[in-house]
Amino acid sequence: MSASTKPSSQDARLEEVFGAPVGELYAQAAAGIAPPAVSRALELRSFLALTEEQVARVRDRVHAAMAPDRDMNELSAAQLRMDSQWMDAALSARGEYLTALGELLKTMPAPTNPPRRPVAFDQQRLATRMSPRPAPPALPAQPATRGR
């Protein structure tokens, strides 16, 4: 199964931001007509989908090993330790992908609000230069006073 067909926890958010179903976004990217941000988001989404699948696999494996009807003689501390390390790595990667995808989506403009252009005026700008300020008038000389 391809990463593009695996579900991810962020599919609804991607559809909301880009205004199209994830499958359609992948089709646009494959055809080369998707904007760069869509391609980057889909790449992160693919990594996220694979990582979330790994988290689910380890979770299910641990749940199966710890099932109440399971024979206690089959429990393996070494295997559970390895699953714990695997889960730690998968959750860490998932967190990083979620952060990166979230940062990318924050920079995207809202789908209903097109980017705004700066206001353009029809009038020409007037460029004037200020003439230098004249020096302040000199103060009148004051008579010198002698101390008494």
Side-chain angles (χ1 to χ4, degrees):
M1 182 184 266
S2 170
S4 63
T5 58
K6 293 180 187 304
S8 89
S9 62
Q10 298 301 301
D11 289 352
R13 187 168 178 209
L14 287 167
E15 290 174 1
E16 178 184 326
V17 169
F18 294 115
V22 171
E24 188 177 312
L25 295 173
Y26 273 105
Q28 290 174 7
I33 58 172
V38 172
S39 298
R40 287 186 193 106
L42 292 176
E43 186 174 357
L44 285 168
R45 185 226 167 262
S46 293
F47 292 142
L48 177 64
L50 291 172
T51 303
E52 288 179 341
E53 180 183 38
Q54 291 300 311
V55 169
R57 282 184 186 181
V58 175
R59 178 201 60 206
D60 294 346
R61 188 169 52 235
V62 170
H63 284 182
M66 302 303 291
D69 59 342
R70 184 94 188 235
D71 184 6
M72 285 193 182
N73 293 326
E74 294 177 5
L75 282 176
S76 167
Q79 186 61 41
L80 288 172
R81 202 170 10 262
M82 178 64 98
D83 285 338
S84 174
Q85 291 171 349
W86 188 270
M87 180 63 88
D88 188 41
L91 287 174
S92 176
R94 180 180 183 269
E96 293 293 323
Y97 292 133
L98 283 172
T99 299
L101 186 58
E103 290 298 317
L104 177 66
L105 295 179
K106 276 185 199 175
T107 64
M108 299 299 305
T112 57
N113 299 334
R116 297 177 64 186
R117 300 177 119 191
V119 176
F121 295 101
D122 291 336
Q123 301 172 355
Q124 295 179 348
R125 288 186 183 178
L126 296 176
T128 61
R129 289 190 177 184
M130 304 268 305
S131 58
R133 248 190 221 178
L139 297 175
Q142 296 190 1
T145 57
R146 290 187 175 182
R148 290 187 183 180

